[in-house]
Amino acid sequence: MHTLPLNYKLTAFKTIVWKEVRRFLRIWVQTLVPPVITISLYFVIFGNLIGSRIGQMNGFTYMEFIVPGLIMMAVINNSYANVVSSFFSQKYQRSIEELLVSPVPNYVILSGFVIGGVTRGLAIGLIATIMSLFFTGLHMHNIAITLLVVLMSSIVFSLGGFINAIYANKFDDITIIPTFILTPLIYLGGVFYSVDLLPDFWRLVSQINPIFYMVNAFRYGILGVSDVNVVFAFLMLVMFTVTLFLFALFLLRRGKGLRH
Amino acid sequence: MFFLYNAGSQCQFCRSFSMTPAISIKDLYKTYDNGFEALKGISLDVAEGDFFALLGANGAGKSTTIGVLSTLVRKTSGSVQVFGKNVDTNSYETKLDLGVVPQEVNFNHFEKVFDIVVTQGGYYGLPVKLAKQRAEKYLKQLGLWDKQNQQARNLSGGMKRRLLIARALVHEPRLLLLDEPTAGVDIELRRSTWEFLQEINRGGTTIILTTHYLEEAETLCRNIAMIDAGVIVENTSMKSLLRKLHQEYFLLDLREELTQAPVLDGYNCQLIDPAILEVALESHQDLNDVFNRLQALNIQVKSMRNKSNRLEQLFVSLLKKPEQTA
């Protein structure tokens, strides 16, 4: 099996990423504006109005406590949404065939879409962070952990969106997972509360939720407090990243839903 | 990187010396998941530089063959080589040599025309500057340059099909696969697309065309294969195929209108229109004899043309053969 020169692969990779970025910038009213409005409402209602009556959580004001979770929620949702909607619509209108007939290796295709999702996820995360400054000050306990966690979480959910898009046959199929799985996992992943508040049984159940680890590791990076061991959270993130990447690659190689 | 950016010129240099077929298909079978056997062991060689037609009715296996070549369809068994390289073991190299124009419009309708072509260049490793130059070149040649900043959804049907051709050519492939490239295109655009494809072919690009416009195949292609129910029923040059015609039809434009067809002994004549006479000529008969007989009846012929459905008759007769022997 012959391989392509590295600069060829890099050109193809940049082309895919730029196409993805161009797509979400072109439809910014659908991709950038709604998360900004949603996050603003969370800050105003949960952080400001209700949060002021809740008091302290893990030594921080409620607003300070939920800011990392809300940023992470925005990153996760947007990374996932970008890849699932872009890849599925390309599959649906068959423009994905442009890539499939070209010599671009599968791992370059996958990486291109994932980085496209990460770009949107991190862009929204940055906007959410800037907006949070209007409501509270920004702590930064450990910037390296913060950036690494947010990057890896964005990659994990971009990969999730890719796999969802591969299995999807109709537009309904790309909304089922975010509505019935992703949203409950985010809400039960400790965005709005510390698991210390939960009964023992639900605290144990929370531990099988991958988002629980992401939110807590991210919160550790910003506030220095976490409900889980940060090293363990990192190991979980690495495991999810590798497993989902290999699985997505396997599906691409098999041509699942793409080649007949 | 020479092979990436100069595939077209390299190809022209080596074409006259190359004995390797552009494609070589051996015992190709394809059975889809639903059990439909689309290809039942076809074998086919297409010479480099050829303009080759793959003809067949809907569902005959043309698009499946193109699909296997472009890797969008996975073969069940058999071997496929492109310029001597196996598509299974050298998929990157064979894909670099291929340009694919699909039957269905398959670009993002919301992208700009120029971006669609440049992006495709990027998938083939072309640096942005070169991809933009190539996009300009082919969009101009295909009459789409003034639409470069429009979203693709605003193009007419014919323009969309030409955009597919521009996109397939951006990396200047050695082999262009066209799956019914002029389906639904009006006559004027179809003619200009034919001229463009002939020019590309003269420049050295091998072209394989599937069509069920038989006139298209007859006008453009030097060699032809007819496929029916996943089996190749004929594979020969266009000339020798047309020689197999037992009957040929001519349309004679008459100087004066007639009320009924003249009776010419041994010839089948009928009036298509009061001023157009259709004459069927057997292979042993002579057109001069027809003119002499008409002259004797004081019927003047203003002009004459070949009826363009010659290939159609042959196609129908070839497809009937298996039924007759069954």
Side-chain angles (χ1 to χ4, degrees):
Chain A
M1 178 75 74
H2 296 79
T3 57
L4 291 165
L6 182 63
N7 59 347
Y8 164 84
K9 292 178 201 168
L10 280 174
T11 303
F13 172 73
K14 281 189 284 184
T15 304
I16 299 169
V17 173
W18 176 233
K19 189 181 177 197
E20 287 304 289
V21 172
R22 207 168 55 215
R23 187 194 80 91
F24 77 71
L25 291 178
R26 186 177 63 232
I27 51 172
W28 59 275
V29 177
Q30 297 169 47
T31 54
L32 301 181
V33 175
V36 169
I37 293 172
T38 310
I39 294 162
S40 308
L41 291 170
Y42 276 119
F43 281 140
V44 171
I45 296 168
F46 288 95
N48 219 10
L49 299 178
I50 298 174
S52 59
R53 296 174 180 226
I54 290 177
Q56 297 235 318
M57 195 164 288
N58 285 7
F60 292 91
T61 66
Y62 188 63
M63 175 64 96
E64 286 170 335
F65 182 82
I66 65 167
V67 161
L70 289 175
I71 294 170
M72 184 57 89
M73 184 170 83
V75 170
I76 287 172
N77 275 332
N78 284 279
S79 303
Y80 192 94
N82 196 70
V83 181
V84 76
S85 59
S86 175
F87 194 81
F88 180 71
S89 45
Q90 289 189 43
K91 193 173 103 168
Y92 187 79
Q93 58 184 348
R94 296 176 62 176
S95 62
I96 195 64
E97 290 175 1
E98 293 175 338
L99 262 171
L100 298 178
V101 301
S102 78
V104 184
N106 287 333
Y107 69 90
V108 175
I109 296 177
L110 178 58
S111 307
F113 275 93
V114 166
I115 297 304
V118 168
T119 308
R120 176 168 151 196
L122 296 187
I124 297 294
L126 183 66
I127 294 170
T129 307
I130 293 167
M131 283 168 52
S132 73
L133 297 177
F134 291 100
F135 300 92
T136 180
L138 182 67
H139 295 263
M140 190 52 70
H141 177 72
N142 186 324
I143 193 164
I145 289 179
T146 305
L147 293 178
L148 205 56
V149 170
V150 76
L151 180 66
M152 289 180 75
S153 304
S154 184
I155 290 172
V156 166
F157 281 93
S158 296
L159 286 166
F162 191 90
I163 292 166
N164 186 174
I166 281 192
Y167 278 102
N169 291 317
K170 50 191 189 296
F171 277 98
D172 286 349
D173 297 341
I174 65 169
T175 57
I176 286 172
I177 302 284
T179 307
F180 295 104
I181 296 177
L182 203 54
T183 305
L185 285 180
I186 290 172
Y187 279 75
L188 298 171
V191 171
F192 297 102
Y193 55 84
S194 164
V195 285
D196 288 344
L197 301 176
L198 297 175
D200 288 347
F201 173 76
W202 291 108
R203 197 181 305 169
L204 273 175
V205 170
S206 293
Q207 312 224 337
I208 57 168
N209 178 0
I211 294 174
F212 171 69
Y213 297 93
M214 296 173 191
V215 168
N216 272 285
F218 189 62
R219 185 173 284 139
Y220 178 81
I222 291 180
L223 300 178
V225 295
S226 171
D227 290 336
V228 294
N229 181 309
V230 176
V231 176
F232 185 67
F234 261 113
L235 288 175
M236 293 290 283
L237 272 172
V238 171
M239 188 195 77
F240 277 119
T241 306
V242 172
T243 308
L244 292 179
F245 189 87
L246 292 177
F247 185 56
L249 213 52
F250 166 75
L251 293 174
L252 263 183
R253 189 166 295 156
R254 268 187 53 198
K256 168 82 182 158
L258 301 169
R259 300 181 203 266
H260 304 288
Chain B
M1 296 311 296
F2 180 80
F3 76 102
L4 284 176
Y5 304 142
N6 297 286
S9 52
Q10 182 195 33
C11 162
Q12 286 166 38
F13 171 76
C14 66
R15 179 154 294 116
S16 55
F17 305 102
S18 174
M19 296 298 287
T20 310
I23 66 160
S24 180
I25 297 172
K26 301 270 182 264
D27 298 323
L28 183 62
Y29 285 84
K30 173 61 190 179
T31 305
Y32 284 100
D33 291 343
N34 61 8
F36 176 66
E37 282 182 276
L39 298 175
K40 299 169 185 167
I42 68 164
S43 293
L44 187 68
D45 277 4
V46 175
E48 192 169 358
D50 200 357
F51 206 135
F52 190 91
L54 196 56
L55 238 74
N58 288 332
K62 307 182 300 286
S63 296
T64 300
T65 308
I66 295 288
V68 171
L69 285 166
S70 63
T71 74
L72 289 174
V73 174
R74 293 175 180 279
K75 61 187 165 63
T76 304
S77 66
S79 82
V80 178
Q81 293 196 332
V82 175
F83 295 106
K85 292 165 201 150
N86 192 303
V87 294
D88 297 324
T89 53
N90 296 70
S91 70
Y92 297 137
E93 284 170 284
T94 55
K95 282 176 164 183
L96 278 169
D97 283 335
L98 284 181
V100 184
V101 178
Q103 194 178 129
E104 305 284 339
V105 170
N106 70 347
F107 42 68
N108 183 339
H109 293 258
F110 298 97
E111 288 257 357
K112 287 179 185 170
V113 168
F114 189 66
D115 290 343
I116 287 171
V117 184
V118 173
T119 299
Q120 191 70 8
Y123 294 159
Y124 284 83
L126 300 187
V128 178
K129 193 177 169 191
L130 182 60
K132 285 182 174 176
Q133 286 170 357
R134 295 263 182 91
E136 182 179 344
K137 173 181 164 186
Y138 288 110
L139 289 175
K140 278 181 175 169
Q141 286 184 12
L142 284 156
L144 292 170
W145 184 240
D146 58 332
K147 309 284 181 194
Q148 58 162 314
N149 288 317
Q150 287 200 18
Q151 286 188 334
R153 63 179 172 156
N154 296 325
L155 299 182
S156 68
M159 286 176 174
K160 283 177 182 164
R161 301 211 69 84
R162 289 156 77 90
L163 177 55
L164 291 175
I165 297 173
R167 187 186 66 181
L169 286 171
V170 71
H171 63 291
E172 302 197 333
R174 297 168 72 188
L175 170 61
L176 186 63
L177 303 173
L178 297 141
D179 197 358
E180 306 201 11
T182 57
V185 175
D186 67 47
I187 294 169
E188 194 182 343
L189 262 183
R190 191 183 305 166
R191 297 263 168 200
S192 61
T193 304
W194 288 355
E195 283 168 20
F196 175 76
L197 292 174
Q198 283 171 319
E199 198 179 314
I200 291 285
N201 178 245
R202 278 193 294 271
T205 306
T206 309
I207 296 180
I208 298 175
L209 173 103
T210 80
T211 183
H212 45 224
Y213 289 129
L214 302 169
E215 187 195 354
E216 187 164 77
E218 191 178 344
T219 308
L220 295 173
C221 301
R222 287 187 284 279
N223 293 295
I224 185 167
M226 288 186 176
I227 188 166
D228 181 44
V231 176
I232 290 190
V233 293
E234 186 67 67
N235 183 5
T236 183
S237 71
M238 188 66 77
K239 279 182 186 167
S240 64
L241 188 69
L242 291 174
R243 270 201 295 272
K244 290 186 181 179
L245 280 167
H246 298 299
Q247 257 189 347
E248 203 162 353
Y249 288 81
F250 293 92
L251 298 177
L252 310 182
D253 295 313
L254 307 177
R255 200 164 289 281
E256 288 170 12
E257 293 186 355
L258 300 176
T259 51
Q260 59 179 26
V263 178
L264 304 180
D265 195 23
Y267 294 94
N268 184 9
C269 300
Q270 59 174 334
L271 275 178
I272 303 289
D273 178 280
I276 300 175
L277 181 67
E278 181 187 281
V279 182
L281 227 66
E282 301 284 333
S283 53
H284 62 275
Q285 291 175 322
D286 191 345
L287 201 54
N288 274 332
D289 187 41
V290 175
F291 286 130
N292 289 337
R293 286 167 187 248
L294 288 173
Q295 186 83 41
L297 294 171
N298 206 22
I299 297 171
Q300 302 291 315
V301 177
K302 199 164 58 178
S303 62
M304 182 196 77
R305 61 207 136 97
N306 205 257
K307 198 174 174 184
S308 59
N309 68 349
R310 297 181 302 161
L311 206 53
E312 203 163 291
Q313 299 158 38
L314 191 62
F315 184 59
V316 170
S317 71
L318 280 167
L319 297 195
K320 276 182 183 167
K321 273 182 188 172
E323 289 173 12
Q324 287 165 351
T325 52

